[in-house]
Amino acid sequence: MAFFSVYCGFMYNDFMSLPLNLFDSCYNAKTGLRKSPDCVYPVGIDPIWYGTKKELIYLNSFKMKMSVILAIAHMTLGIVQKGINAHYFKDMPRMLNEFLPQLILLLAVFGYMDLLILLKWNTNYTGRTDRAPSVIVTTVNFFLNGGEVKGDDFFAGNQLVSQVLLLIAMVTIPWMLLVNPYLLWKEEQERLKKRKQRGGDVELSNFGSNYEQVPGDLDGDEAFGRSVSMVSDEAIVMEVVGKRKGHGHHGDDEEFDMVAISINSMIHTIEFALGTISNTASYLRLWALSLAHSQLAKVFYDMLLASSLEKGSVIGLFIGFVCWASATLGVLLGMDVMEVMLHTVRLHWVEFMSKFFEGEGYVY
């Protein structure tokens, strides 16, 4: 977390509320004009933005979009972890009917939104700023107005791609909702059919030994001098498919309940579909925390150090520095670090781990 904080400090070009002019700015400090149309500040935000009238608007927009990009990357990693688990346990129904539709749904909607953010960042709208499309409006229109874009398209065929992605996203809902319950029902029907063909269940009682004679075994003298393959009582029980009264296909003691399975599938589908929206919004706490901490740092600097630096008072600067350092260590590096850690744990436990972690344990 500490290293990532340093990384974000470089990206936001923010050190204790002060911009670091490590490279030459792309703008003229006096006129505010761009020095060259092709100039790009090498790392992070150009320091010229700090102290301008649009500083808060620009930084808020950037941090909000950065939070969404990190959100989709983090949740995608969680869904990929589900796919890895399904592959490890050789669970193809989960791989095909949970991992794939969930990944497709997340990327078709919010991955597409991240793509629009990156495209807008890399497009020069100089001279046509009034035609610059809004990412938020385009995302809302993705659901309501057939992907209509207000302003210039982000790319050729923008609206058609939006419509196709929306259609794909809508297909994943019944995919997650219906396929697995249908496969379980089909498996149960096949199990019942096999049980009926084999004459139902067989109940073995009073096992006299570890092995029982079964049809096909050799008796007494016929077995003398020849190798006899004995079958264990457990193998006999396992050979008879199914249990009495239509018990579950996993060998547990619960009856197969199609209604319960359908309700469970519906709950998980609704939870994931709506969770993609709420979980993405939850990552906006990264934006809120960054904004709050940067403003706190700015207040500490302006109230405790700025006036002493302007006046050139050595005593005032010494006292101001002690107060500023104490406030910074106590609030920003003390209480706020604990606060950020709690938010980090929450994002890992709820938004990330809910994509793959079940915590059901193992059957003994």
Side-chain angles (χ1 to χ4, degrees):
M1 189 172 68
F3 282 111
F4 191 72
S5 298
V6 174
Y7 167 77
C8 288
F10 279 110
M11 290 297 101
Y12 300 151
N13 201 354
D14 187 345
F15 177 75
M16 299 295 182
S17 79
L18 300 175
L20 300 176
N21 195 4
L22 302 177
F23 308 95
D24 190 23
S25 174
C26 291
Y27 295 85
N28 188 302
K30 295 181 179 180
T31 63
L33 298 176
R34 198 178 184 89
K35 295 178 181 178
S36 170
D38 300 327
C39 180
V40 177
Y41 196 75
V43 179
I45 296 176
D46 195 308
I48 197 68
W49 284 99
Y50 288 90
T52 62
K53 294 181 179 179
K54 296 185 177 180
E55 172 189 350
L56 198 57
I57 298 175
Y58 177 78
L59 292 178
N60 270 345
S61 175
F62 176 78
K63 292 178 179 180
M64 179 181 67
K65 293 179 173 65
M66 195 69 183
S67 299
V68 173
I69 292 174
L70 292 174
I72 304 307
H74 198 211
M75 289 191 291
T76 300
L77 181 62
I79 297 177
V80 170
Q81 182 64 52
K82 170 177 281 190
I84 294 173
N85 289 345
H87 174 73
Y88 177 80
F89 291 108
K90 297 180 174 57
D91 190 346
M92 288 306 296
R94 174 161 295 182
M95 172 73 79
L96 297 177
N97 305 318
E98 291 186 22
F99 163 68
L100 281 181
Q102 288 179 4
L103 184 64
I104 292 172
L105 177 60
L106 181 67
L107 295 182
V109 179
F110 293 99
Y112 174 65
M113 183 173 67
D114 280 358
L115 175 63
L116 297 183
I117 292 173
L118 296 175
L119 288 174
K120 187 174 181 179
W121 278 352
N122 288 277
T123 302
N124 187 356
Y125 289 100
T126 302
R128 54 191 180 99
T129 54
D130 59 322
R131 299 293 301 165
S134 169
V135 174
I136 296 178
V137 172
T138 303
T139 303
V140 173
N141 288 339
F142 178 84
F143 295 99
L144 302 181
N145 295 326
E148 180 184 359
V149 180
K150 299 291 185 180
D152 293 341
D153 286 348
F154 289 91
F155 55 88
N158 195 165
Q159 188 168 357
L160 176 61
V161 172
S162 297
Q163 294 172 349
V164 172
L165 289 177
L166 179 60
L167 180 61
I168 293 174
M170 296 304 294
V171 169
T172 61
I173 303 298
W175 185 359
M176 290 186 289
L177 179 63
L178 302 175
V179 175
N180 264 350
Y182 169 74
L183 292 177
L184 290 174
W185 174 82
K186 186 177 180 181
E187 181 182 342
E188 175 68 7
Q189 297 305 307
E190 292 177 355
R191 188 188 68 79
L192 293 175
K193 182 179 179 181
K194 289 182 180 180
R195 189 181 68 173
K196 185 177 181 180
Q197 291 174 349
R198 295 179 183 230
D201 295 333
V202 172
E203 182 175 358
L204 300 178
S205 59
N206 299 322
F207 293 139
S209 63
N210 290 332
Y211 297 95
E212 295 289 334
Q213 186 175 354
V214 297
D217 282 351
L218 299 178
D219 294 324
D221 296 336
E222 295 179 336
F224 181 76
R226 299 181 57 183
S227 174
V228 179
S229 176
M230 307 301 286
V231 182
S232 66
D233 47 30
E234 291 121 342
I236 298 173
V237 175
M238 296 303 295
E239 181 68 19
V240 179
V241 181
K243 294 185 176 182
R244 282 192 298 275
K245 298 181 182 178
H247 285 187
H249 67 287
H250 293 296
D252 50 20
D253 291 333
E254 296 181 0
E255 294 185 7
F256 182 83
D257 190 343
M258 188 61 190
V259 175
I261 291 175
S262 300
I263 293 176
N264 183 67
S265 177
M266 181 176 64
I267 291 173
H268 281 82
T269 301
I270 295 175
E271 180 184 16
F272 181 84
L274 297 181
T276 54
I277 301 174
S278 62
N279 292 165
T280 302
S282 182
Y283 279 86
L284 293 178
R285 70 184 67 233
L286 300 176
W287 161 41
L289 290 170
S290 177
L291 174 64
H293 296 168
S294 65
Q295 291 302 305
L296 275 175
K298 185 176 178 61
V299 168
F300 291 158
Y301 175 79
D302 291 342
M303 298 279 294
L304 301 174
L305 275 181
S307 59
S308 299
L309 288 173
E310 291 175 358
K311 295 177 181 178
S313 171
V314 177
I315 298 177
L317 182 61
F318 176 79
I319 296 175
F321 177 80
V322 172
C323 295
W324 172 81
S326 300
T328 299
L329 291 173
V331 178
L332 293 180
L333 298 180
M335 296 191 309
D336 282 355
V337 166
M338 183 181 299
E339 175 191 359
V340 169
M341 181 196 69
L342 293 175
H343 283 287
T344 302
V345 171
R346 183 243 149 74
L347 289 176
H348 278 305
W349 177 250
V350 178
E351 281 70 24
F352 174 65
M353 295 185 67
S354 65
K355 300 297 180 290
F356 65 92
F357 181 72
E358 296 180 356
E360 296 180 352
Y362 296 94
V363 178
Y364 287 98

